Amino acid sequence: MAIPRQLPNAITIVRIFCAPIFLWMLLADAGADGALRWWAAALFIVAIATDGIDGYLARKHEIVTDLGKLLDPIADKVLTGFAFIGLSILWELPWWVTIVVLIREIGITVYRFMVVSDHVLAAAWMGKLKTVAQAVALSLALLPLWTLVGEWIFWVNGVTMTIAVILTIASGIDYIVTELRATRQRRAAA
């Protein structure tokens, strides 16, 4: 069964539009552990899960586009960036963590736009692993699980967030090293 050629990109764009709605839901009641918090977490989880869906559809139906390669990581960064910012606004995550993550994410995004006329910088395997780690860590931090299982969940949240931050930094370094090597190879070939 054929799917519309633009469906994966449309899913990606919907993920971008979900980000401000999610942030509003998270902050609307000052992060209280009520229904809005649960709905905000659910929206985040569903939206971040579409990352795998749009990529799968594009690859399976051989409709991968340069626009999709460019928009997909940006959609992830917008959604996860809003989650990091929201958790820091609520004082549930130190601001230094959010700042480190945003510097990496914005830096790679700006670089993507700088080189787009030369080549599309698609997400690398470490970048994809970073996104999964961030998705898990943020989902656990957003869900008010402490109301159900107790405060030991904060320890789990701390471990998963630490892993996500380490992978965020490592994948940023990996992008820089990979791009420097590719630039050298292009210059040598020219």
Side-chain angles (χ1 to χ4, degrees), residues 141-154:
L142 291 165
L143 288 165
L145 295 174
W146 51 90
T147 63
L148 301 176
V149 300
E151 293 191 6
W152 65 269
I153 197 71
F154 291 125

Side-chain angles (χ1 to χ4, degrees), residues 1-14:
M1 178 175 118
I3 64 166
R5 181 162 179 74
Q6 292 304 319
L7 181 62
N9 290 344
I11 292 170
T12 301
I13 291 167
V14 167

Side-chain angles (χ1 to χ4, degrees), residues 23 31 72 87 149:
L23 186 61
D72 187 64
L87 289 168
V149 300

Side-chain angles (χ1 to χ4, degrees), residues 59-120:
R59 286 185 299 277
K60 180 179 184 208
H61 296 282
E62 298 178 5
I63 50 176
V64 175
T65 64
D66 284 345
L67 178 64
K69 289 180 196 175
L70 186 67
L71 281 182
D72 187 64
I74 291 171
D76 297 337
K77 287 170 179 38
V78 169
L79 186 61
T80 57
F82 276 30
F84 279 108
I85 290 167
L87 289 168
S88 290
I89 287 171
L90 296 172
W91 297 102
E92 295 178 20
L93 184 67
W95 274 104
W96 72 264
V97 170
T98 298
I99 291 167
V100 165
V101 169
L102 291 179
I103 287 172
R104 183 269 187 218
E105 302 295 15
I106 292 169
I108 295 297
T109 301
V110 167
Y111 183 74
R112 272 192 168 96
F113 282 113
M114 288 172 48
V115 300
V116 73
S117 63
D118 183 44
H119 66 283
V120 173

Side-chain angles (χ1 to χ4, degrees), residues 155-178:
W155 183 84
V156 174
N157 292 354
V159 169
T160 58
M161 193 60 72
T162 300
I163 292 168
V165 171
I166 290 169
L167 284 172
T168 299
I169 294 166
S171 66
I173 293 168
D174 181 58
Y175 273 116
I176 293 167
V177 169
T178 301

